[in-house]
Amino acid sequence: MQTVIDAHNISKVYNPDTIPVHAVNNVHLHLNRGEFTALVGPSGSGKTTLLNIIGGLDAPSEGQVVINGVDISNLKPNQLIDFRLHNIGFVFQAFNLIPVLTASENVEFIMLLQKKPKAERNKRVQELLASVGLSDKLDARPNQLSGGQQQRVAVARALASRPQFILADEPTANLDSHSAATLLDIMEKMNREEDVTFLFSTHDQRVIDRARRVITLVDGRIESDSAETQIKH
Amino acid sequence: MLLKLAWRNIWRNRNRSLITMSAIASAVLLAVATVSLQQGVWGHLIKNLVSLYTGYAQVHAKGYWEEQTLENSFEIDKAVEQQVAGTAGVNAIAHRLESFALASSGDKTRGCLVVGINPSEEERLTQLSQKIQSGHMLKSDQDGALVAEGLAEKLDLKLGDTLVLLTQSFYGSTAAMKTPIRGLLHFGSPDLNNQIAYIPINRAQYWLDASGRATSLVVGLERPENLPAVARSLKNSLPKTFEALTWKEMMPEINQHIEADSAGMYIMLGVLYLLIAFGIFSTLLMMLAERQREFGMLNALGMQPWSIARVVLAETVFLTLCGSLAGLLLSYPLVWYLAEHPIQLGGDMAEIYAKFGFEAIFPATIKAKIFIDQTLVVLIVGLVLAIYPVWRVLRLNAVEAMRH
């Protein structure tokens, strides 16, 4: 199996000089291509911080994150931004689409930053929005879409750059059950059919139930990992 | 796409953007109208006073302007004449022989400036015939005078009457002449209107016993803005016995007044633009504060801070350009109207202006440069103000920004 994420000894301490807060404490995480993994845990357990570190948005206080063989801790800020653009897809809790762009432009935007040719961009936009069931909403602005539809556009956008993996921070937190189920169906389909690796933080039992691997984080430490449990059994 | 993004972003808060653009448009309108009016008024004055009387430059015998007597006149020299006429930018020259004299009619006497002219040269230089209200232009071979209306009125003279002139000749003897009035002139400048009379230069030379002499060689320009270059060229090339002076050197008080007035106007415009700058800056700050999360998200997705900053810059440019263009569209008809229908003061105000030698007319001038300059000023103000949001964007931390 191809290793996509290899995080060693990750720690993140806020306010190290005053009142240190250990958000993530000595975490080791290894994800292979094609995994569909949920990172669970109570609020304040360090899920978002860990996702930010793995996604290159935040630097760890200690440890090393290797994505597809590249140690991202050694990258300069501009290189890291470029690395994110080409290797990591993000789905945020609060949809975070660009409000002045249409659904198709939001998806196209990432490929534009990647300087992909127009014909390729157009083809991929059509494909992705069709795969998330929004072929009829190409020209709709985010404020003309429901929360579930916006989150589906966000997934299409995350996939547009053909990333190594997608990090999703509480992707269903703001969705009703029907929209959440539709979104999970889409994410599972992408995972199965396009072999896209997903790592999402969540509280949502519906998501946890659908994940093939569940990592539980408590007080910044990995308390359990279903993959290890399976191996032990 | 980045430009499209920037353009759409400025319409996210339509009311705020429209208010900001309106403020910019008002400032440009006010600035363009003020500058056009000011330059128009001064241009009118210069045209009245300078192009008609002094010309844009004059060549004299050295020292004449300091002491304007016939003793400081010069002998007309063909070589100098050709040299001046051949200077790049010069389109007309005219010799004059000027002398202050007493003008008399019946029991009335007035001091006046008698200017001996070559009618055809003077016509090319100042289109003097256009100032004739009644009568006709002088002819070189014909006796006669053109008298300004104000002077004629004070002397109670009409067309066809005889004007008596008395002064001191080149050799110091008393010189007197009688000449019929061939035409009455009207000048915009009350100073000229009340004291000037023209006679043919050959008659003036005979009257003043100054055969072949002139006091000045007046220089006309194709384009007034070429004056500095023409003046430089004349000063460098003329024989040492001559001096070349621009109208600014001959009438420094007018130039100083223009400069002082311009400085006052620029201070006013500075205050105006400062107020507008606060308006633009507050819009940019609100825009920055509202969109922290979005900037963080764009950065997280892989957009370089410089690209985000370019969008912010483009938004500022669009905002200021739209405001400026609206200001230009509004100001053009206003300036055009003021150019075609100058503000004309009457009554006491007109008399006060007349006392100072000004015609109480305030025309605007229509110059592309004024419109372009004001647009550029607003654009530069916008770009300078955009430095702060750009700096903030460049220091963006995606995680912190997304917490907003």
Side-chain angles (χ1 to χ4, degrees):
Chain A
M1 290 286 267
Q2 183 196 344
T3 301
V4 178
I5 301 169
D6 202 0
H8 297 283
N9 191 29
I10 300 295
S11 293
K12 179 71 182 180
V13 184
Y14 292 109
N15 312 322
D17 301 327
T18 51
I19 308 162
V21 177
H22 291 264
V24 177
N25 203 344
N26 199 25
V27 165
H28 298 271
L29 185 64
H30 185 92
L31 248 73
N32 288 324
R33 187 172 178 83
E35 286 202 44
F36 197 68
T37 306
L39 192 60
V40 301
S43 292
S45 59
K47 302 187 295 294
T48 301
T49 304
L50 184 59
L51 280 192
N52 285 342
I53 290 170
I54 292 170
L57 295 175
D58 210 350
S61 306
E62 270 181 59
Q64 187 184 35
V65 179
V66 179
I67 309 282
N68 219 25
V70 177
D71 182 354
I72 64 170
S73 345
N74 290 335
L75 296 178
K76 290 177 183 163
N78 287 355
Q79 292 173 322
L80 194 55
I81 294 168
D82 259 350
F83 186 83
R84 287 203 296 268
L85 176 65
H86 290 95
N87 295 282
I88 309 172
F90 288 93
V91 178
F92 304 101
Q93 179 181 343
F95 319 140
N96 277 327
L97 298 178
I98 302 169
V100 294
L101 298 184
T102 63
S104 58
E105 288 167 342
N106 261 288
V107 177
E108 186 188 0
F109 190 73
I110 295 294
M111 291 182 281
L112 203 88
L113 294 179
Q114 290 180 314
K115 299 187 170 63
K116 295 262 170 71
K118 186 160 180 60
E120 186 186 334
R121 296 200 308 260
N122 288 344
K123 186 164 172 271
R124 183 108 176 114
V125 166
Q126 303 277 347
E127 280 171 9
L128 285 168
L129 285 176
S131 67
V132 297
L134 291 173
S135 296
D136 58 337
K137 299 288 183 188
L138 293 177
D139 297 325
R141 294 262 180 108
N143 61 2
Q144 297 168 316
L145 298 171
S146 68
Q149 288 171 328
Q150 286 186 51
Q151 202 60 315
R152 277 143 69 189
V153 175
V155 170
R157 181 181 65 184
L159 287 163
S161 61
R162 299 184 191 278
Q164 298 289 333
F165 62 92
I166 288 180
L167 294 178
D169 189 10
E170 307 263 9
T172 57
N174 293 333
L175 301 183
D176 59 66
S177 8
H178 176 70
S179 301
T182 310
L183 186 75
L184 284 168
D185 289 343
I186 290 166
M187 284 161 62
E188 269 190 324
K189 186 175 138 210
M190 299 291 180
N191 172 252
R192 233 182 6 255
E193 293 175 2
E194 298 198 20
D195 207 20
V196 180
T197 309
F198 278 88
L199 174 62
F200 35 81
S201 68
T202 187
H203 281 110
D204 191 339
Q205 193 55 45
R206 294 165 301 187
V207 183
I208 298 167
D209 292 343
R210 304 273 283 264
R212 290 202 294 280
R213 178 181 172 190
V214 177
I215 298 169
T216 308
L217 212 58
V218 176
D219 293 336
R221 291 175 187 277
I222 293 182
E223 191 182 69
S224 67
D225 183 344
S226 63
E228 288 175 10
T229 315
Q230 280 165 8
I231 292 165
K232 282 175 191 165
H233 288 287
Chain B
M1 180 77 94
L2 293 188
L3 290 180
K4 192 195 278 185
L5 185 63
W7 176 251
R8 289 187 191 168
N9 275 333
I10 60 171
W11 298 110
R12 281 163 82 154
N13 192 326
R14 187 177 293 265
N15 288 344
R16 187 174 64 203
S17 295
L18 283 175
I19 289 170
T20 310
M21 285 176 192
S22 304
I24 294 169
S26 309
V28 170
L29 172 70
L30 201 58
V32 168
T34 308
V35 176
S36 299
L37 206 54
Q38 198 219 31
Q39 289 196 7
V41 169
W42 287 122
H44 183 70
L45 177 84
I46 291 165
K47 197 173 156 199
N48 259 334
L49 220 57
V50 173
S51 72
L52 198 63
Y53 175 55
T54 58
Y56 283 95
Q58 284 189 9
V59 173
H60 313 121
K62 203 164 195 72
Y64 173 77
W65 199 252
E66 281 293 306
E67 195 185 347
Q68 295 177 31
T69 63
L70 287 174
E71 280 173 27
N72 286 329
S73 61
F74 61 90
E75 205 156 334
I76 293 172
D77 182 335
K78 276 283 167 202
V80 170
E81 187 181 323
Q82 281 169 4
Q83 191 182 344
V84 174
T87 303
V90 173
N91 72 344
I93 56 165
H95 284 99
R96 287 181 188 163
L97 181 62
E98 296 173 5
S99 177
F100 287 96
L102 281 175
S104 171
S105 166
D107 58 351
K108 292 192 168 69
T109 306
R110 284 267 158 189
C112 72
L113 174 67
V114 180
V115 186
I117 57 169
N118 178 322
S120 58
E121 283 181 354
E122 195 69 28
E123 182 60 16
R124 261 200 310 280
L125 188 82
T126 61
Q127 291 86 47
L128 187 61
S129 63
Q130 290 178 12
K131 298 286 178 187
I132 297 175
Q133 295 297 297
S134 57
H136 58 78
M137 185 63 178
L138 296 176
K139 291 173 184 162
S140 298
D141 56 355
Q142 187 186 41
D143 196 9
L146 295 175
V147 179
E149 273 178 343
L151 178 63
E153 200 180 317
K154 285 181 168 67
L155 293 171
D156 224 359
L157 285 167
K158 298 186 299 294
L159 192 65
D161 287 353
T162 300
L163 173 70
V164 176
L165 296 169
L166 194 69
T167 189
Q168 195 177 34
S169 75
F170 180 60
Y171 294 106
S173 59
T174 302
M177 81 180 294
K178 280 199 308 183
T179 186
I181 297 176
R182 305 283 182 195
L184 293 174
L185 302 165
H186 171 77
F187 292 98
S189 159
D191 259 2
L192 293 176
N193 217 36
N194 289 331
Q195 65 166 2
I196 202 162
Y198 291 91
I199 58 174
I201 193 168
N202 50 7
R203 290 284 298 148
Q205 286 164 341
Y206 177 75
W207 170 49
L208 297 169
D209 216 356
S211 179
R213 303 189 74 85
T215 50
S216 54
L217 177 57
V218 186
V219 177
L221 300 180
E222 256 171 72
R223 298 159 70 91
E225 55 270 28
N226 290 339
L227 180 59
V230 170
R232 221 173 16 250
S233 173
L234 290 176
K235 283 173 199 281
N236 290 338
S237 62
L238 283 172
K240 295 266 181 267
T241 51
F242 286 89
E243 65 186 14
L245 299 176
T246 66
W247 69 265
K248 290 179 183 177
E249 292 165 314
M250 290 184 280
M251 295 185 286
E253 66 286 353
I254 290 181
N255 193 42
Q256 281 161 11
H257 194 88
I258 291 174
E259 282 175 359
D261 191 50
S262 300
M265 184 195 63
Y266 285 122
I267 290 170
M268 191 205 83
L269 289 182
V271 173
L272 179 70
Y273 283 128
L274 194 65
L275 293 175
I276 292 309
F278 280 117
I280 300 174
F281 196 52
S282 66
T283 301
L284 293 178
L285 284 185
M286 280 189 269
M287 198 182 74
L288 188 70
E290 285 169 2
R291 287 164 58 199
Q292 281 295 300
R293 186 184 177 85
E294 184 180 319
F295 292 151
M297 179 266 292
L298 291 171
N299 186 244
L301 292 179
M303 192 170 182
Q304 293 286 356
W306 255 117
S307 296
I308 304 173
R310 283 205 327 252
V311 174
V312 173
L313 263 182
E315 285 170 28
T316 312
V317 170
F318 284 147
L319 197 68
T320 48
L321 259 188
C322 285
S324 305
L325 289 177
L328 292 185
L329 287 177
L330 291 171
S331 56
Y332 186 80
L334 177 69
V335 171
W336 177 84
Y337 182 83
L338 290 174
E340 294 293 315
H341 306 92
I343 299 167
Q344 196 154 5
L345 296 183
D348 292 346
M349 284 305 285
E351 278 176 27
I352 291 168
Y353 275 87
K355 273 185 190 168
F356 288 97
F358 297 102
E359 197 181 14
I361 289 181
F362 299 90
T365 184
I366 303 176
K367 281 186 189 165
K369 189 177 180 304
I370 296 173
F371 291 84
I372 293 168
D373 283 356
Q374 298 314 314
T375 309
L376 283 178
V377 168
V378 174
L379 202 60
I380 290 166
V381 167
L383 288 175
V384 168
L385 294 175
I387 290 173
Y388 177 69
V390 164
W391 177 73
R392 287 276 304 271
V393 167
L394 291 178
R395 294 179 69 233
L396 190 76
N397 177 305
V399 174
E400 279 175 23
M402 281 197 294
R403 284 199 193 111
H404 279 264

